[in-house]
Amino acid sequence: MSERINPDLQKERDAATFDVEELSVLLHNGAHELEKKRKLEELVRNDPDYKSLPFDFLSREAQYEEGVRRSTIAVAKKDQLDSLIENHGDLITYNTHVGRGRAGPFNLHTGMFIPTLVKQGSPEQVAKWLPLSEDYEIIGTYAQTEMGHGTFLRGLETTAHYDPHTQEFVLNSPTTTSIKWWPGALGKTSTHAVVLAQLYTLGKCHGIHAFVVQLRSLEDHKSLPGITVGDIGPKFGYGANDNGFLKLSNHRIPRENMLMKYSKVAPDGSYNKPPKSTLTYGTMTFVRAMIVRGSAQAIAQGATIAIRYSAVRRQSEMRPGEPEPQVLSYPTQQYKLFPLLCAAYAFHFVQVKMIEAYSEVTELVNKGDFSRTQELHALSSGLKAYTSAISNTGLEVCRTSCGGHGYSCASGFPALYTNFTPSVTYEGENTVLLLQCARYLVKCTRDLRSGAKLPGSVAYLSCGCDPSSIGKDFTNVKTLDSLYKQRALGLIRFASGKVDASMAGGMDLVGALNESSVHLVRAAVAHSHYFVVRNFFEKLSMLASTSQPLMEVLHQLSLFYALDGIAQHSGEFLEDGLLSGEDVKQIRQLTVDMLPRIRVNAVALVDSFEFGDDVLGSVLGRYDGNVYENLFKWAQNSPLNKTDVHPSYHKYLQPLLQRNKSKL
């Protein structure tokens, strides 16, 4: 960080009403975790081995090579950092800084390949594969998506036929659409993959199962017989990642390479089914929880860039002769950015809750208790879809809030957006996930009729729906909670009623769900939105040791988040008579009235996330605020500036410009 801080930015920090360090400690789960993060960042930032041109000025191939170079160096140096890398979160922090916030070629190795081995492998398989993976003697990826199928897992076409004579599985890609397509690090990096395929044994198909498949030789890295593997080509982003394709042609693997923690194939080909068929998809539930975390990180980074730059940028004198105001001082700019700032905090707290829920249910599953797996699937599906959609559209709002400079790669938004936007489609396309969440909600409404007790995240469905009982104090947490609860209840019951009506008319459940899908999506969004709002309020109620100044600021954020959500979805609150038109007008005015109170702490609130400049990758969002001199410096890195006269001048421009030279 530069010693000289932009005076406008420093003035913002000096005006904060709370202790930034206190909030940073809270956001990073304690002083110890925050200190580790800072040390890891400093080590990477000061290490000359990680210096290179900005990725924006590198070709696709150069980006990939640089990603591999950095990742291999990181692995070699990780062993020296045992005191700082104590858990998976520390590893994410380390790798994030090594890759400058961009997805690297080893991300799926640590994020999906190893977790799948641990969660779905038998003790013997874990003992065999885990040490090799952790020591990077093999590098793995997760090959699920195919050219013709992604979200619909039961439709995957890759086959694994068991041969009892050799005790091997024979893997094939029987159609063009069955070719594995999109897995990260599959193209050129990985030596192994967890491949999801339809299991056939003794002439019967048993559905999707996971297999460990070696792709490349451990001697020379050449692809093995029966393996056709490569890079799928340029994408919207992810330039440093070799997303790949995999075509299997009678490729044989040992019987022991099918992950057999839950389901098993005996040497004679007999099959033992898992206690629950959906356990094979456990890795996806984990990744969806990680996407909720990623959604929080992405919108927090976008808000950090936009709010800092809005404090530095001055634009348009309001009256002739007066100084140009900071862009952040305009209420319209605040009204664009502060809802996203509040969403960043709401999403931070909900991603913590999501990961806690995943850990709790995983512990139960390990004890043989599968009672909460459906709830977890619905929760992760709904939250993944809801948070990623908000963050995805929010990043574009942040970019346009930075004016013309937001279009430059120097802003950091092109990389941030293109690296995040796949989140709305991978690991389950959002609309499909909302429908899966809604299907669970419909099931819960039916279970209630038989007297069933619903688990925590859906327990509110057993409540009555009485709009007249809701108060009119819209700054009261209980009032806002009731409004969101009643909105969700109303939309869920309406959608469920539509499904029931279709079935009463003779339609089967599948057809009824499809016919009511538009209503079901709205219901799932309302449910997920309510969960985020309620969790925000509940989290703040548990912060007993937090100082009063900080609590006041966080309370403002939670109120604004809830009020703005009502204003943005006012039609759904009006439909069931939860609010009147005058109520909505009052709520809109309340959000406007709150803007100045959030304004005074806006820069301090984004500072508290503690995104280093190397991770933000943004000249506009620099911590020191010295935007303009560094924007000019950044541009000098362009390869076009290596020479004063570009070679294209002599090839093309000179003949054009001088074709009529004699006439001059």
Side-chain angles (χ1 to χ4, degrees), residues 27 292-293 295-297 299-300 338-354 383 386-387 390-391 484 528-540 554 556-562 605 609:
L27 293 174
V292 178
R293 169 181 282 181
S295 299
Q297 293 280 304
I299 197 60
F338 292 176
L340 300 174
L341 172 63
C342 295
Y345 275 85
F347 291 0
H348 168 80
F349 291 124
V350 87
Q351 63 88 14
V352 173
K353 183 71 172 181
M354 178 69 248
L383 289 180
Y386 178 73
T387 60
I390 297 296
S391 294
Y484 274 91
S528 302
H529 195 175
Y530 174 44
F531 188 89
V532 176
V533 169
R534 184 180 64 194
N535 182 74
F536 204 167
F537 290 149
E538 289 178 350
K539 178 62 179 178
L540 298 190
L554 293 176
Q556 288 171 6
L557 297 184
S558 67
L559 283 182
F560 189 94
Y561 179 75
L605 284 165
F609 291 122

Side-chain angles (χ1 to χ4, degrees), residues 459-611:
Y460 74 94
L461 293 178
S462 60
C463 298
C465 188
D466 180 13
S468 64
S469 66
I470 301 174
K472 295 295 183 179
D473 180 0
F474 301 125
T475 61
N476 182 281
V477 168
K478 290 184 178 179
T479 298
L480 295 172
D481 181 276
S482 295
L483 282 169
Y484 274 91
K485 178 169 66 176
Q486 297 295 346
R487 169 208 180 197
L489 277 170
L491 289 173
I492 292 167
R493 289 172 180 172
F494 177 80
S496 185
K498 287 292 185 182
V499 172
D500 290 341
S502 295
M503 293 183 69
M507 193 175 290
D508 66 2
L509 177 60
V510 173
L513 289 168
N514 184 58
E515 189 173 69
S516 303
S517 58
V518 173
H519 304 305
L520 290 168
V521 165
R522 291 176 64 204
V525 169
H527 167 72
S528 302
H529 195 175
Y530 174 44
F531 188 89
V532 176
V533 169
R534 184 180 64 194
N535 182 74
F536 204 167
F537 290 149
E538 289 178 350
K539 178 62 179 178
L540 298 190
S541 70
M542 295 186 291
L543 299 179
S545 60
T546 304
S547 69
Q548 187 61 32
L550 178 55
M551 279 301 302
E552 289 178 2
V553 172
L554 293 176
H555 180 63
Q556 288 171 6
L557 297 184
S558 67
L559 283 182
F560 189 94
Y561 179 75
L563 290 167
D564 181 70
I566 294 172
Q568 298 303 321
H569 300 275
S570 56
E572 294 177 348
F573 290 90
L574 289 166
E575 283 178 8
D576 283 337
L578 301 176
L579 294 172
S580 67
E582 287 301 316
D583 292 334
V584 173
K585 289 179 183 178
Q586 182 184 347
I587 286 171
R588 291 190 191 281
Q589 187 58 47
L590 280 172
T591 61
V592 173
D593 292 342
M594 291 184 71
L595 294 175
R597 282 176 274 168
I598 296 175
R599 161 74 173 80
V600 72
N601 288 304
V603 169
L605 284 165
V606 296
D607 283 351
S608 299
F609 291 122
E610 292 215 5
F611 294 117

Side-chain angles (χ1 to χ4, degrees), residues 215-248:
L215 308 172
R216 295 180 177 274
S217 165
L218 297 181
E219 299 299 324
D220 58 11
H221 208 58
K222 290 183 178 178
S223 55
L224 299 180
I227 298 287
T228 303
V229 65
D231 180 79
I232 65 170
K235 309 167 292 287
F236 208 42
Y238 275 59
N241 205 315
D242 54 323
N243 296 79
F245 61 79
L246 169 64
K247 187 176 187 298
L248 297 151

Side-chain angles (χ1 to χ4, degrees), residues 380-495:
S380 65
S381 297
L383 289 180
K384 181 269 186 187
Y386 178 73
T387 60
S388 65
I390 297 296
S391 294
N392 192 55
T393 56
L395 288 175
E396 177 65 1
V397 173
C398 290
R399 182 191 71 80
T400 57
S401 296
C402 292
H405 289 325
Y407 188 68
S408 169
C409 286
S411 72
F413 282 114
L416 180 56
Y417 179 79
T418 57
N419 284 325
F420 177 75
T421 196
S423 299
V424 303
T425 49
Y426 65 36
E427 306 312 324
E429 190 276 333
N430 278 0
T431 301
V432 176
L433 290 186
L434 288 170
L435 288 171
Q436 290 180 10
C437 175
R439 184 166 183 156
Y440 175 71
L441 296 174
V442 170
K443 176 184 177 298
C444 288
T445 60
R446 294 182 165 201
D447 290 345
L448 281 173
R449 297 171 197 165
S450 59
K453 183 178 180 181
L454 300 181
S457 65
V458 288
Y460 74 94
L461 293 178
S462 60
C463 298
C465 188
D466 180 13
S468 64
S469 66
I470 301 174
K472 295 295 183 179
D473 180 0
F474 301 125
T475 61
N476 182 281
V477 168
K478 290 184 178 179
T479 298
L480 295 172
D481 181 276
S482 295
L483 282 169
Y484 274 91
K485 178 169 66 176
Q486 297 295 346
R487 169 208 180 197
L489 277 170
L491 289 173
I492 292 167
R493 289 172 180 172
F494 177 80

Side-chain angles (χ1 to χ4, degrees), residues 44 264 312 456 643:
V44 174
K264 297 177 175 61
V312 170
T643 59

